[in-house]
Each structure stands twice: as structure tokens, then as C-alpha cells.
Amino acid sequence: MVVVLAIPIAGYAFRYLVVGERAFVPDLAPAFRARPWGIYSHALFGGIAVLLGPFQFRRDLLRRRTLHRAIGLTFLASAALTGAAGLVMAPDAFGGPVSKFGFGFLGVAVIVAVGSGYRRIRARDVAGHREWMIRSYALIFAAVTLRLELPFLIVAFGDFLPAYRVVAWTCWTPNPLAPELDLRPTRASADAPHP
Ligand code: HEM
């Protein structure tokens, strides 16, 4: 299900690189025009991160260490770069301080999560690495949850602006809680399967 949802959202992001300004959402276009390198790098690295993440959950690929490392490093760099670009764009986000802070904190959370995942594996803490990388992808998945939630919020609030302010927070704050339910049973187990 994650892959099925991630593919069209990555395609949606890559569309920015293919059609340029014609992809811009009208309400968001002035901010994108002011900083085109921000949105194009954000869409490129965001698309890569959201697409690559699911490969790291496949046990057969996890066992192939070189491949796992190559995909993992690409995911890590892409997630950190899209988070940094998102953080740079956040002060210009549509919807005022509520959405600016919502997206800004998401950028910080992604950078902290991937940084923690990297530091854990450098310290050979496999269980800690696994937890932080799952959290990282749950946060990157905000790109999907935002676009799933937004149409319902627009209907509920009757307008794009309040819906956008709400979704800047609801697209990511519950996401790390979902894998938490899955992590709890394995947390105590020192021999959790991982390369
Ligand atoms: C890493 C955390 C992320 C942060 C902090 C973030 C932040 C932002 C911000 C601030 C904007 C501009 C919104 C505005 O001007 O109102 C934006 C737009 C956008 N983001 Fe992200 N984002 C993140 C992840 C992603 C990912 C993983 C993707 C990949 C699919 C993505 C794809 C896009 C696209 C395509 C837009 C253009 C707006 C649209 O067409 O919906 N973002 N993001």
C-alpha cells in the first residue's frame, strides 16, 4: 500500500521538473517563482526519498548489505536535502504563520530523524538505526498524507486556506506514531532481523 501511494506522489513531484512553472499550484506560485531552485530541488529530492524508502523495508533487500547501504545513503541524502529545501521554503509558505511553522517543524523533524538514524548506525546501534529510519520515512510520507487529507479538509472547511493551515500540521504529526505501534514489540529484542 505504501508503494502504491508513493509512486503517484513521486510522479506528481517529478512533474515539476518536467513541465516547470506550469506545474505550480496558483496560490503557491508567487513563492515558488521567488525561489525556483528551492521548489525544484525540493521536488527532485522529495520524489527520490518517497520512492526509495519502501525498498528499505524489504527483508530480501535488507540482507544484501551493499545494496541496502547504497539505497540507504541515497535516501538519507535525499530526505535531508528535501527537508532542508522545505525548511528554506517554509517562511514563504501559503497560509501565514500556522502553515509556515507546520512545514518548518516538519523540515526540522526530518533532518533530526535522518541524522539520528545515521549516527546510530555509525555507532553500530542497529536497533536504534532501524527505529530512526522508520521514523524518517514516516515523516517523508507526509508528502502522501498531505495530498490524501487535503481534499477532505477542503470539503470540511469549505475553503482551501483553512484546510491548508490544518494540513501543514496533520500531514506529519501523527505519522511517526503509526510505526511506533509496530516498533514496540521488537524494541526489547536485541536480535531483531536486520543486516
Ligand atoms: C521533508 C519534509 C518536507 C517539508 C518540510 C516540505 C515543505 C514544503 C513547503 C514549505 C512547500 C511550499 C508550500 C507553500 O509554499 O505553501 C512544499 C511544497 C511541495 N512539496 Fe514539500 N515538504 C516536505 C516533503 C516533501 C516530499 C517528500 C515531497 C515529495 C513528493 C514533497 C513535494 C512537494 C511538492 C511537489 C510541493 C509543491 C506544492 C504542491 O504542488 O503540492 N515535499 N513542501
Side-chain angles (χ1 to χ4, degrees):
M1 198 177 91
V2 167
V3 175
V4 167
L5 292 169
I7 291 173
I9 297 301
Y12 174 81
F14 293 146
R15 203 176 109 262
Y16 271 72
L17 303 161
V18 177
V19 304
E21 288 204 8
R22 275 180 289 144
F24 291 1
V25 177
D27 281 329
L28 315 183
F32 295 168
R33 281 200 193 97
R35 242 191 286 239
W37 54 268
I39 183 61
Y40 291 129
S41 61
H42 179 65
L44 170 67
F45 292 118
I48 295 174
V50 87
L51 261 190
L52 282 187
F55 288 99
Q56 300 298 70
F57 293 96
R58 288 187 57 115
R59 288 197 190 283
D60 51 344
L61 296 184
L62 280 175
R63 280 187 212 104
R64 298 169 65 181
R65 285 186 185 211
T66 313
L67 189 63
H68 174 69
R69 264 195 213 129
I71 297 176
L73 280 171
T74 314
F75 169 81
L76 207 134
S78 304
L81 287 169
T82 201
L87 194 54
V88 170
M89 291 196 301
D92 293 324
F94 183 70
V98 176
S99 31
K100 291 173 201 260
F101 277 105
F103 289 126
F105 279 117
L106 168 61
V108 172
V110 166
I111 292 166
V112 167
V114 291
S116 303
Y118 183 70
R119 272 194 291 113
R120 292 296 199 286
I121 202 59
R122 297 294 296 173
R124 307 208 180 284
D125 172 6
V126 171
H129 166 69
R130 176 175 176 261
E131 290 200 7
W132 278 106
M133 293 318 292
I134 291 174
R135 284 186 197 115
S136 304
Y137 190 68
L139 290 168
I140 284 293
F141 207 68
V144 175
T145 40
L146 182 146
R147 288 161 187 95
L148 287 178
E149 291 172 15
L150 194 55
F152 293 100
L153 290 170
I154 292 172
V155 171
F157 289 99
D159 192 14
F160 180 75
L161 180 60
Y164 197 66
R165 285 180 178 145
V166 170
V167 86
W169 289 91
T170 56
C171 73
W172 66 274
T173 43
N175 292 16
L177 300 176
E180 208 59 32
L181 301 173
D182 186 47
L183 287 170
R184 206 167 294 162
T186 56
R187 191 163 281 150
S189 157
D191 56 356
H194 192 284

